[in-house]
Amino acid sequence: GANLSNSDFTMTDFSGSNLSGANLEKATVVRTWFEGASAEKANFSRIEAYRSNFAKVAATSASFAGAELQRANFAEAVLKGVDFEKAELGRVNFDNATLADVRFAYANLSRAVFSKARIEGKLAFEGAFMFLTRIEDTDLSGATGLEQEQIDMACGNAGTKLPQGLNAPAGWPCPSD
């Protein structure tokens, strides 16, 4: 529940910390480690967190709305009820993350990797930019807000499951990055 808004924690190690309910809005956390931290209901809105490590973070009902998270690592994170609206998520890694009821509306997901994510609830993609977003072997059948143009820019394969009415483009698979 700490108020850490507008603070500069560049290259700080929060690994294993209890950040539940903490307010980090507009904080600078570039190259910062949150690995294994508990961040339920934490407010990470509008943080600057390039190349930060959120691996294995438990962030149920957290907000990353408007956050700058390019090249951040969310591998094995538990992200349930999380808001990434309008976040910059270019090249973010969601390998083996658990995603349920996550909102990516209007987020930049360019080159983000969902290929090994566990989808346990709906994902909302209204207006999300999905240039070369890796969705191989990902079940997006329950996703909302996806449009054919987004899928046409993404990278999937025969194991990618799409919502009814959307089709895999002829250009899959994409070259490795």
Side-chain angles (χ1 to χ4, degrees):
N3 183 6
L4 305 171
S5 63
N6 293 301
S7 299
D8 186 346
F9 293 111
T10 298
M11 297 185 71
T12 300
D13 189 354
F14 285 106
S15 295
S17 296
N18 182 357
L19 296 169
S20 296
N23 180 16
L24 286 98
E25 185 172 6
K26 295 183 181 179
T28 301
V29 290
V30 174
R31 294 183 185 261
T32 298
W33 296 266
F34 294 93
E35 186 166 355
S38 176
E40 283 81 9
K41 297 182 182 175
N43 182 7
F44 294 98
S45 297
R46 300 185 284 174
I47 62 170
E48 185 178 346
Y50 308 104
R51 295 184 184 264
S52 289
N53 185 5
F54 292 90
K56 300 179 184 176
V57 72
T60 301
S61 300
S63 176
F64 290 88
E68 300 280 344
L69 294 158
Q70 289 89 341
R71 295 184 183 263
N73 180 20
F74 282 90
E76 299 182 51
V78 177
L79 304 170
K80 297 181 178 182
V82 174
D83 185 5
F84 284 105
E85 181 178 4
K86 297 182 181 176
E88 290 291 334
L89 299 165
R91 295 185 186 265
V92 168
N93 177 17
F94 291 103
D95 274 355
N96 296 309
T98 301
L99 303 172
D101 304 316
V102 178
R103 191 160 188 259
F104 292 106
Y106 304 100
N108 177 3
L109 293 164
S110 297
R111 299 179 190 266
V113 179
F114 289 92
S115 297
K116 296 178 184 170
R118 289 183 298 279
I119 312 300
E120 295 183 355
K122 293 189 186 252
L123 304 181
F125 289 101
E126 291 83 10
F129 185 64
M130 297 179 66
F131 177 72
L132 300 180
T133 302
R134 308 301 301 209
I135 56 174
E136 294 97 343
D137 300 314
T138 304
D139 185 356
L140 297 176
S141 59
T144 62
L146 274 176
E147 296 186 12
Q148 190 64 50
E149 295 80 20
Q150 291 166 299
I151 297 303
D152 291 345
M153 287 192 294
C155 301
N157 63 9
T160 303
K161 295 180 185 171
L162 299 173
Q164 188 172 351
L166 297 179
N167 301 304
W172 284 355
C174 296
S176 47
D177 210 8

